[in-house]
Amino acid sequence: MRIKVAPSILSADFSCLDREINKVERAGADLIHVDVMDGHFVPNITIGPAVVKYIRKVTSLPLDVHLMIENADKYADTFVKAGSDMITVHIEALSLFKIKSLSRKLRARGIKFGISLNPATPIAKIKNSLKFADFVLVMSVNPGFGGQAFIPSVVPKIKQLRKIFKKDISVDGGINEDTAKLVIDAGANILAAGSYIFSAKNVKQAIERIRNAAD
Ligand code: DX5
Ligand code: ZN
């Protein structure tokens, strides 16, 4: 599977977000990862649909919108209208029934539907929902903030998931060239990375190092 790199703009300089996005786009990013937090599901508040709408204007890359919010089913549509191409919800925040109906709605509109699980959430919790997902996003830090250290116990979880799930597996949190190798070897093929990419002097090289980490 081709490795895709998704810079997380949470670590970008928001005073010039357009330039930051153009910078990673020119440097070879495959997706733009957008972290939406509500101060309820996670202890932080970030951006909402109004900002996604402006991000949509400045890039042609797919927008990978990670909803770390309660009631994601209620807000997903607003994020689709704002220009999201991929929507990820958390298994800890939605019932199977809601996941099923949201998946149906989003897929009918050509949106890729992802389900995420926190580091402490076992694969068993997501098994019944896998058929509704186009991809799974495995969190390798506790969601809420950029710049945290990678939690190594997620590596066996990625391996376990890869055995039963043949579509895209995304990993998010603490990704750098070393942890990228661990998760790619375990079976992941989309890597979201914030601080490692946006703090790099050479962004192109940082993206390539993640992409080629397992070569
Ligand atoms: C964490 C977010 C991540 C985060 C990644 O809650 O979902 O996408 O921005 O940032 P780094 O790569 O710095 O861990
Ligand atoms: Zn994220």
Side-chain angles (χ1 to χ4, degrees), residues 129-142:
S129 308
L130 287 177
K131 54 181 171 297
F132 307 119
D134 296 304
F135 63 99
V136 171
L137 186 153
V138 177
M139 287 305 301
S140 40
V141 298
N142 287 307

PDB file of all heavy atoms in Angstrom, residues 129-142:
ATOM      1  N   SER A 129     -18.060  -2.285  13.999  1.00  0.00           N
ATOM      2  CA  SER A 129     -18.220  -1.062  13.204  1.00  0.00           C
ATOM      3  C   SER A 129     -17.357  -1.069  11.954  1.00  0.00           C
ATOM      4  O   SER A 129     -17.515  -0.207  11.092  1.00  0.00           O
ATOM      5  CB  SER A 129     -17.829   0.168  14.032  1.00  0.00           C
ATOM      6  OG  SER A 129     -18.498   0.167  15.252  1.00  0.00           O
ATOM      7  N   LEU A 130     -16.434  -2.021  11.864  1.00  0.00           N
ATOM      8  CA  LEU A 130     -15.453  -1.981  10.769  1.00  0.00           C
ATOM      9  C   LEU A 130     -16.081  -1.978   9.392  1.00  0.00           C
ATOM     10  O   LEU A 130     -15.581  -1.338   8.470  1.00  0.00           O
ATOM     11  CB  LEU A 130     -14.465  -3.153  10.889  1.00  0.00           C
ATOM     12  CG  LEU A 130     -13.428  -3.038  12.013  1.00  0.00           C
ATOM     13  CD1 LEU A 130     -12.561  -4.292  12.059  1.00  0.00           C
ATOM     14  CD2 LEU A 130     -12.572  -1.789  11.853  1.00  0.00           C
ATOM     15  N   LYS A 131     -17.198  -2.689   9.252  1.00  0.00           N
ATOM     16  CA  LYS A 131     -17.828  -2.755   7.926  1.00  0.00           C
ATOM     17  C   LYS A 131     -18.388  -1.395   7.480  1.00  0.00           C
ATOM     18  O   LYS A 131     -18.667  -1.192   6.310  1.00  0.00           O
ATOM     19  CB  LYS A 131     -18.892  -3.845   7.865  1.00  0.00           C
ATOM     20  CG  LYS A 131     -19.951  -3.781   8.918  1.00  0.00           C
ATOM     21  CD  LYS A 131     -20.921  -4.959   8.712  1.00  0.00           C
ATOM     22  CE  LYS A 131     -21.907  -5.134   9.853  1.00  0.00           C
ATOM     23  NZ  LYS A 131     -21.292  -5.459  11.158  1.00  0.00           N
ATOM     24  N   PHE A 132     -18.531  -0.475   8.408  1.00  0.00           N
ATOM     25  CA  PHE A 132     -19.050   0.852   8.053  1.00  0.00           C
ATOM     26  C   PHE A 132     -17.941   1.864   7.780  1.00  0.00           C
ATOM     27  O   PHE A 132     -18.205   3.017   7.460  1.00  0.00           O
ATOM     28  CB  PHE A 132     -19.955   1.380   9.175  1.00  0.00           C
ATOM     29  CG  PHE A 132     -21.037   0.416   9.549  1.00  0.00           C
ATOM     30  CD1 PHE A 132     -21.121  -0.112  10.831  1.00  0.00           C
ATOM     31  CD2 PHE A 132     -21.961   0.012   8.604  1.00  0.00           C
ATOM     32  CE1 PHE A 132     -22.103  -1.032  11.158  1.00  0.00           C
ATOM     33  CE2 PHE A 132     -22.956  -0.901   8.926  1.00  0.00           C
ATOM     34  CZ  PHE A 132     -23.032  -1.425  10.211  1.00  0.00           C
ATOM     35  N   ALA A 133     -16.678   1.426   7.936  1.00  0.00           N
ATOM     36  CA  ALA A 133     -15.563   2.369   7.840  1.00  0.00           C
ATOM     37  C   ALA A 133     -14.784   2.200   6.537  1.00  0.00           C
ATOM     38  O   ALA A 133     -14.547   1.094   6.070  1.00  0.00           O
ATOM     39  CB  ALA A 133     -14.612   2.158   9.016  1.00  0.00           C
ATOM     40  N   ASP A 134     -14.372   3.342   5.952  1.00  0.00           N
ATOM     41  CA  ASP A 134     -13.452   3.301   4.812  1.00  0.00           C
ATOM     42  C   ASP A 134     -12.013   3.270   5.311  1.00  0.00           C
ATOM     43  O   ASP A 134     -11.113   2.855   4.602  1.00  0.00           O
ATOM     44  CB  ASP A 134     -13.647   4.544   3.933  1.00  0.00           C
ATOM     45  CG  ASP A 134     -15.038   4.562   3.336  1.00  0.00           C
ATOM     46  OD1 ASP A 134     -15.388   3.576   2.665  1.00  0.00           O
ATOM     47  OD2 ASP A 134     -15.785   5.529   3.559  1.00  0.00           O
ATOM     48  N   PHE A 135     -11.810   3.769   6.517  1.00  0.00           N
ATOM     49  CA  PHE A 135     -10.488   3.691   7.138  1.00  0.00           C
ATOM     50  C   PHE A 135     -10.634   3.750   8.654  1.00  0.00           C
ATOM     51  O   PHE A 135     -11.679   4.146   9.168  1.00  0.00           O
ATOM     52  CB  PHE A 135      -9.564   4.807   6.623  1.00  0.00           C
ATOM     53  CG  PHE A 135      -9.996   6.209   6.945  1.00  0.00           C
ATOM     54  CD1 PHE A 135      -9.451   6.894   8.011  1.00  0.00           C
ATOM     55  CD2 PHE A 135     -10.971   6.847   6.181  1.00  0.00           C
ATOM     56  CE1 PHE A 135      -9.847   8.192   8.311  1.00  0.00           C
ATOM     57  CE2 PHE A 135     -11.372   8.152   6.472  1.00  0.00           C
ATOM     58  CZ  PHE A 135     -10.807   8.817   7.548  1.00  0.00           C
ATOM     59  N   VAL A 136      -9.586   3.293   9.335  1.00  0.00           N
ATOM     60  CA  VAL A 136      -9.555   3.376  10.798  1.00  0.00           C
ATOM     61  C   VAL A 136      -8.379   4.245  11.182  1.00  0.00           C
ATOM     62  O   VAL A 136      -7.299   4.135  10.596  1.00  0.00           O
ATOM     63  CB  VAL A 136      -9.430   1.972  11.439  1.00  0.00           C
ATOM     64  CG1 VAL A 136      -9.188   2.077  12.942  1.00  0.00           C
ATOM     65  CG2 VAL A 136     -10.676   1.144  11.164  1.00  0.00           C
ATOM     66  N   LEU A 137      -8.606   5.149  12.123  1.00  0.00           N
ATOM     67  CA  LEU A 137      -7.533   6.018  12.607  1.00  0.00           C
ATOM     68  C   LEU A 137      -7.170   5.587  14.035  1.00  0.00           C
ATOM     69  O   LEU A 137      -7.984   5.709  14.945  1.00  0.00           O
ATOM     70  CB  LEU A 137      -7.976   7.482  12.563  1.00  0.00           C
ATOM     71  CG  LEU A 137      -6.925   8.537  12.902  1.00  0.00           C
ATOM     72  CD1 LEU A 137      -7.265   9.847  12.203  1.00  0.00           C
ATOM     73  CD2 LEU A 137      -6.836   8.796  14.377  1.00  0.00           C
ATOM     74  N   VAL A 138      -5.974   5.041  14.159  1.00  0.00           N
ATOM     75  CA  VAL A 138      -5.509   4.585  15.474  1.00  0.00           C
ATOM     76  C   VAL A 138      -4.764   5.736  16.146  1.00  0.00           C
ATOM     77  O   VAL A 138      -3.773   6.235  15.616  1.00  0.00           O
ATOM     78  CB  VAL A 138      -4.568   3.357  15.310  1.00  0.00           C
ATOM     79  CG1 VAL A 138      -4.022   2.913  16.670  1.00  0.00           C
ATOM     80  CG2 VAL A 138      -5.287   2.206  14.604  1.00  0.00           C
ATOM     81  N   MET A 139      -5.263   6.169  17.298  1.00  0.00           N
ATOM     82  CA  MET A 139      -4.582   7.251  18.031  1.00  0.00           C
ATOM     83  C   MET A 139      -3.380   6.675  18.762  1.00  0.00           C
ATOM     84  O   MET A 139      -3.492   5.690  19.488  1.00  0.00           O
ATOM     85  CB  MET A 139      -5.527   7.880  19.063  1.00  0.00           C
ATOM     86  CG  MET A 139      -6.632   8.751  18.512  1.00  0.00           C
ATOM     87  SD  MET A 139      -6.095  10.098  17.451  1.00  0.00           S
ATOM     88  CE  MET A 139      -5.006  11.040  18.505  1.00  0.00           C
ATOM     89  N   SER A 140      -2.235   7.332  18.577  1.00  0.00           N
ATOM     90  CA  SER A 140      -1.025   6.885  19.270  1.00  0.00           C
ATOM     91  C   SER A 140      -0.599   7.884  20.350  1.00  0.00           C
ATOM     92  O   SER A 140       0.512   7.799  20.883  1.00  0.00           O
ATOM     93  CB  SER A 140       0.086   6.618  18.258  1.00  0.00           C
ATOM     94  OG  SER A 140       0.103   7.587  17.237  1.00  0.00           O
ATOM     95  N   VAL A 141      -1.498   8.826  20.654  1.00  0.00           N
ATOM     96  CA  VAL A 141      -1.402   9.663  21.867  1.00  0.00           C
ATOM     97  C   VAL A 141      -2.843   9.839  22.332  1.00  0.00           C
ATOM     98  O   VAL A 141      -3.774   9.586  21.563  1.00  0.00           O
ATOM     99  CB  VAL A 141      -0.789  11.073  21.598  1.00  0.00           C
ATOM    100  CG1 VAL A 141       0.634  10.984  21.090  1.00  0.00           C
ATOM    101  CG2 VAL A 141      -1.661  11.906  20.644  1.00  0.00           C
ATOM    102  N   ASN A 142      -3.031  10.296  23.565  1.00  0.00           N
ATOM    103  CA  ASN A 142      -4.383  10.623  23.999  1.00  0.00           C
ATOM    104  C   ASN A 142      -4.782  11.925  23.329  1.00  0.00           C
ATOM    105  O   ASN A 142      -4.054  12.912  23.412  1.00  0.00           O
ATOM    106  CB  ASN A 142      -4.449  10.718  25.524  1.00  0.00           C
ATOM    107  CG  ASN A 142      -4.357   9.340  26.148  1.00  0.00           C
ATOM    108  OD1 ASN A 142      -5.131   8.441  25.787  1.00  0.00           O
ATOM    109  ND2 ASN A 142      -3.403   9.149  27.031  1.00  0.00           N
TER     110      ASN A 142
END
